[in-house]
């Protein structure tokens, strides 16, 4: 079947005949983006040694990517609505692939962080556009199943990234955690260029709101820097408070900009719709908890237990399986059980898992606890996406997808920054108290999130 026939079937409103194949390719592309959060985590101790990075630079190796990814996500979602998701997906994939090559070639902190920022730009274009395609290509129960597959790939991929990172770091070396994206990116680009349906863009094409994107990214950067800096200088200091206030002022300025700009990135009233607000809260919690698991686990195994990169990666295999299982079961049960009980259950399970190593820390309890927590976060990813995107109009799907993906990455940035600071004493070596404090904080946050989810999550549509 040729491209013209595919496009005609899409225009006629029929289900696209290659929709599941397209979902698979988009899922693998999304997998690369998620992997680049956690595949780096396992390599961080080696990157730290080879490039002579301090704790703050190590944390920025994660946060520079996730911050740029999240900060420009709304711009990517808006671009998908204005210019067509197909063009934006392919452009983002091309940028991400080239940036991965450049990051692998980095010989110092500056080119490393520059490459990570460029990867974030490509990811910000590709991810919301790809999710918009999933929402467009599927409907009804098929959409819930497709979102379950999407979330399982994303959530499970985060855990698999640690396994892959261990194998690559122990084998050819840490640059290959970036090089591996290059051949995959090229193959997926060629396949998607042939399969993705072209979309009519009926709306006029106003300018993109670059100032709005800069405001939200800079504000988030100030907040993340406040969290990272607190690990060395304290949480209750004038500088930390000033950075938080600066971030808050920036977010207010962003809202004002969106209300006054001729071509805003988004309708800010979306954020106060209960389904979208709940979905963004759940996705932020899920990602922050996920990155806490990988950050704490990676440094605990390699610093405290002196395990190698490959062994550390293998110890995260149960987390990968549990995350994918939690996402898959939740996707199947969502239509029958509803979002609210599944959201609460996911957070309660995550809290229980985090509490295990907090109460008694050794390699067995860390593996068991993080696997249980992984099952809970896998469930949360599915509920978050289905809740936020299940009741938006088709013309809002791109920007709504961008909102969900934005909070996904901001959750990773916040999780890495806060956990790095809380566990600073253990990252410096000589004590387990920082790791324990990190798991305690994660367990308390998940338990509080369960209470909030019970109140905020909307019931079934009538």
């Amino acid at each position: 079947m040729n491209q013209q026939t595919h496009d005609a079937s899409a225009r006629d409103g029929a289900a696209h005949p290659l929709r599941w194949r397209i979902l698979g390719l988009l899922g693998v592309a999304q997998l690369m983006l998620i992997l680049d959060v956690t595949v780096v985590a396992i390599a961080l101790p080696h990157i730290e040694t080879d490039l002579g990075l301090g704790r703050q630079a190590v944390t920025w190796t994660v946060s520079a990517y996730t911050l740029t990814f999240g900060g420009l996500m709304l711009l990517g979602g808006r671009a998908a609505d204005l210019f067509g998701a197909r063009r934006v997906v392919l452009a983002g994939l091309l940028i991400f692939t080239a940036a991965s090559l450049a990051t692998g070639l980095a010989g110092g902190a500056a080119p490393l962080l520059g490459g990570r920022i460029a990867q974030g730009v490509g990811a910000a274009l590709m991810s919301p556009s790809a999710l918009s395609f999933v929402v467009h290509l599927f409907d009804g129960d098929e959409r819930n199943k497709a979102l379950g597959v999407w979330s399982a790939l994303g959530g499970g991929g985060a855990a698999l990234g640690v396994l892959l990172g261990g194998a690559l770091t122990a084998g050819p070396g840490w640059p290959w955690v970036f090089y591996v994206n290059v051949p995959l990116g090229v193959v997926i680009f060629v396949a998607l260029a042939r399969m993705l349906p072209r979309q009519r863009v009926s709306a006029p094409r106003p300018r993109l709101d670059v100032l709005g994107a800069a405001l939200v990214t800079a504000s988030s950067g100030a907040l993340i820097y406040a969290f990272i800096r607190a690990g060395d200088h304290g949480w209750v200091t004038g500088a930390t408070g000033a950075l938080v206030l600066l971030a808050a002022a920036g977010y207010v300025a962003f809202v004002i900009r969106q209300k006054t700009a001729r071509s805003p990135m988004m309708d800010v009233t979306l954020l106060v719709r209960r389904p979208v607000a709940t979905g963004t809260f759940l996705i932020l919690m899920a990602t922050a908890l996920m990155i806490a698991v990988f950050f704490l686990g990676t440094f605990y195994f390699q610093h405290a237990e002196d395990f190698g990169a490959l062994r550390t990666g293998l110890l995260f295999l149960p987390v990968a399986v549990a995350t994918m299982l939690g996402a898959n079961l939740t996707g199947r049960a969502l239509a029958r059980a509803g979002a609210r009980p599944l959201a609460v259950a996911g957070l309660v399970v995550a809290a229980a898992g985090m509490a295990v190593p907090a109460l008694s820390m050794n390699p067995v309890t860390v593996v068991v606890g993080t696997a249980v927590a992984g099952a809970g976060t896998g469930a949360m990813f599915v509920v978050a996406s289905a809740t936020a995107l299940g009741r938006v109009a088709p013309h809002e799907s791109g920007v709504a997808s961008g909102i969900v993906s934005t909070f996904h990455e901001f959750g990773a940035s916040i999780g890495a920054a806060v956990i790095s600071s809380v566990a600073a004493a253990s990252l410096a070596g000589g004590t387990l108290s920082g790791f324990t404090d990190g798991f305690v904080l994660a367990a308390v946050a998940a338990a509080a999130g369960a209470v909030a989810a019970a109140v905020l999550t909307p019931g079934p549509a009538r």
Side-chain angles (χ1 to χ4, degrees):
M1 186 178 288
N2 58 33
Q3 181 67 48
Q4 288 77 14
T5 305
H6 296 162
D7 297 342
S9 69
R11 286 193 300 270
D12 294 339
H16 196 286
L18 298 181
R19 61 192 182 282
W20 291 105
R21 197 173 300 176
I22 291 172
L23 173 65
L25 289 168
L26 292 175
V28 175
Q30 176 73 1
L31 184 64
M32 290 198 305
L33 309 187
I34 303 302
L35 281 172
D36 253 58
V37 178
T38 55
V39 75
V40 174
I42 199 74
L44 283 177
H46 295 264
I47 297 174
E48 177 184 28
T49 300
D50 288 355
L51 302 184
L53 305 181
R55 183 189 67 84
Q56 292 194 22
V58 168
T59 307
W60 277 115
T61 304
V62 175
S63 294
Y65 173 69
T66 54
L67 178 61
T68 310
F69 191 173
L72 299 180
M73 193 80 69
L74 292 173
L75 199 67
R78 181 64 170 158
D81 287 339
L82 295 177
F83 306 121
R86 183 179 187 275
R87 293 178 182 177
V88 181
V89 163
L90 294 177
L93 181 57
L94 196 61
I95 293 170
F96 179 82
T97 302
S100 296
L101 178 61
T103 308
L105 294 171
L112 176 74
L113 297 181
R116 292 292 279 167
I117 290 170
Q119 282 187 301
V121 172
L125 292 173
M126 183 167 65
S127 184
S129 307
L131 186 53
S132 177
F133 258 118
V134 175
V135 175
H136 270 97
L137 291 173
F138 297 91
D139 197 12
D141 287 341
E142 271 200 348
R143 180 183 291 178
N144 285 336
K145 291 178 182 177
L147 287 172
V149 171
W150 181 267
S151 300
L153 285 170
L160 289 172
V162 184
L163 179 61
L164 179 62
L168 292 173
T169 302
W174 67 261
W176 281 90
V177 303
F178 303 109
Y179 291 153
V180 73
N181 293 326
V182 178
L184 273 175
V186 171
V187 170
I188 294 171
F189 180 90
V190 172
L192 288 178
R194 293 176 58 86
M195 289 186 190
L196 285 178
R198 291 179 174 84
Q199 297 173 310
R200 287 181 177 176
V201 182
S202 57
R205 295 183 180 180
R207 293 180 180 178
L208 291 173
D209 183 17
V210 177
L211 176 58
L215 280 171
V216 73
T217 304
S219 302
S220 301
L223 185 63
I224 299 306
Y225 180 56
F227 290 153
I228 293 174
R229 188 181 181 280
D232 296 324
H233 301 281
W235 291 92
V236 186
T237 65
T240 300
L243 286 167
V244 172
L245 288 175
L246 180 63
Y251 288 131
V252 171
F254 169 74
V255 172
I256 294 172
R257 169 66 181 176
Q258 296 312 291
K259 288 181 174 293
T260 58
R262 297 178 65 181
S263 304
M265 284 196 302
M266 61 173 290
D267 178 2
V268 291
T269 60
L270 273 175
L271 286 173
V272 297
R273 294 186 195 173
R274 189 176 176 186
V276 177
T278 303
T280 54
F281 165 73
L282 291 174
I283 204 76
L284 186 144
M285 286 292 300
T287 317
L289 291 171
M290 178 191 72
I291 205 69
V293 164
F294 297 128
F295 204 99
L296 291 170
T298 293
F299 279 95
Y300 167 73
F301 287 133
Q302 295 192 59
H303 278 192
E305 298 294 336
D306 201 26
F307 292 167
L310 181 58
R311 186 177 180 184
T312 298
L314 289 171
L315 288 173
F316 276 98
L317 186 57
V319 183
V321 174
T323 304
M324 289 187 288
L325 183 61
N328 183 265
L329 292 176
T330 303
R332 293 174 180 273
L334 192 59
R336 181 177 65 256
R340 184 182 298 153
L342 292 175
V344 174
L347 282 158
V348 168
V349 170
M354 295 293 192
V356 172
L359 294 172
S360 174
M361 186 169 295
N362 58 66
V364 173
T365 57
V366 171
V367 171
V368 172
T370 53
V372 172
T377 55
M380 290 162 62
F381 283 125
V382 177
V383 177
S385 298
T387 301
L389 302 177
R391 303 180 191 179
V392 297
H395 71 277
E396 297 174 322
S397 62
V399 70
S401 300
I403 291 171
V404 171
S405 301
T406 294
F407 279 83
H408 184 287
E409 300 313 314
F410 283 169
S413 298
I414 292 170
V418 173
I419 288 298
S420 169
S421 291
V422 170
S426 291
L427 296 179
T431 177
L432 293 179
S433 62
F435 295 133
T436 300
D437 291 344
F439 280 113
V440 168
L441 176 64
V444 170
V451 175
V455 175
L456 295 175
T457 309
R462 296 177 181 233

